[in-house]
Amino acid sequence: MDVFGDNFEENDVDPAAEFLAREQDQLAGLEDEIKPANVPASAQVVNGISTIDPLRSMSPDIKTRLFSTPPPTKPAVAREEPEKIKIWREEQKKRLEIKDAEEEKKKEELRIAAKKELEEWYKHHKELIAKTKAANRNAEKQFVAESDEIEPGTEWERIAKLCDFNPKASRSSKDTSRMRSIILQLKQQPLKKGETA
């Protein structure tokens, strides 16, 4: 029933495993042919690998010459810049100085303008606070004067004075139209004792 040649029941030999086995057989004899290298007495063995310390085998006077004298340096060759680059550098320096001066002038102008605007804002703010304080004091005096004149049955009228009945409310506030209608209704027809809204 293997029409397509995909019978997985047969045990096929893995070609990669076959290749690795063949290579190991061929390389097995090479290990015997490699002779170990002569390792000097100054070598150290770290993790099965030998390392050679070259300073141990050096004579003391070679060590002092190597480490006491600075390495020779090449004399610095003075490169002279072309005339065009010198002229460009001088012009660039002048342009940058001019731009820096203009920038400082503009910064000073902006500081003066900002200081003036800030003073005007503080002046306007103080005037606004003074007006608000005066309005609050007048409203408080009026509220105290009206609170002394409490008559039975005028409670809803006093509450209606405190409420804002402007139907144009902002979209971010809650809908208070039902509350407004109830307060207006109670103002026009106050509840009698024992009644509930």
Side-chain angles (χ1 to χ4, degrees):
M1 196 165 159
D2 185 15
V3 178
F4 296 106
D6 55 354
N7 189 0
F8 295 112
E9 294 177 7
E10 294 179 10
N11 290 336
D12 289 333
V13 177
D14 185 18
E18 194 176 290
F19 172 76
L20 287 174
R22 194 177 30 194
E23 289 297 315
Q24 285 178 351
D25 289 341
Q26 290 177 359
L27 295 175
L30 290 178
E31 292 175 0
D32 299 333
E33 295 175 8
I34 298 175
K35 295 179 183 177
N38 291 335
V39 180
S42 62
Q44 297 174 348
V45 176
V46 178
N47 293 333
I49 301 172
S50 66
T51 58
I52 300 173
D53 185 10
L55 295 178
R56 245 190 224 172
S57 61
M58 274 188 211
S59 65
D61 67 322
I62 293 176
K63 286 181 188 177
T64 55
R65 276 190 277 153
L66 276 176
F67 296 111
S68 64
T69 58
T73 58
K74 293 182 180 179
V77 178
R79 280 185 53 194
E80 190 158 331
E81 290 183 330
E83 191 63 31
K84 287 186 176 185
I85 293 178
K86 285 182 183 179
I87 293 170
W88 177 84
R89 283 189 195 272
E90 291 172 8
E91 289 175 358
Q92 181 69 7
K93 187 176 180 181
K94 290 176 186 176
R95 279 187 295 229
L96 290 176
E97 288 173 358
I98 292 169
K99 283 187 176 186
D100 287 343
E102 289 175 1
E103 182 182 5
E104 285 300 319
K105 188 188 294 184
K106 286 180 182 178
K107 279 185 182 179
E108 191 60 34
E109 289 173 1
L110 287 174
R111 282 188 193 113
I112 292 170
K115 190 174 183 180
K116 185 178 177 182
E117 286 180 18
L118 194 59
E119 288 172 358
E120 288 177 10
W121 184 85
Y122 276 124
K123 182 180 174 184
H124 177 71
H125 187 66
K126 285 180 182 179
E127 290 173 1
L128 191 65
I129 288 175
K131 287 179 184 177
T132 305
K133 283 182 180 180
N136 287 344
R137 285 188 187 119
N138 291 337
E140 184 181 5
K141 286 178 186 176
Q142 184 180 2
F143 180 75
V144 170
E146 288 178 2
S147 65
D148 293 339
E149 304 169 1
I150 296 176
E151 296 177 18
T154 60
E155 294 89 7
W156 290 110
E157 190 173 322
R158 286 184 20 234
I159 291 173
K161 285 182 184 177
L162 296 175
C163 294
D164 181 23
F165 290 109
N166 187 7
K168 295 181 181 177
S170 65
R171 291 180 184 225
S172 62
S173 65
K174 293 183 178 178
D175 182 25
T176 57
S177 60
R178 184 170 173 226
M179 184 187 75
R180 273 194 307 254
S181 66
I182 291 172
I183 292 175
L184 287 173
Q185 182 183 3
L186 289 171
K187 178 184 168 188
Q188 293 168 358
Q189 299 171 355
L191 290 176
K192 296 177 183 158
K193 283 189 176 183
E195 289 184 327
T196 58

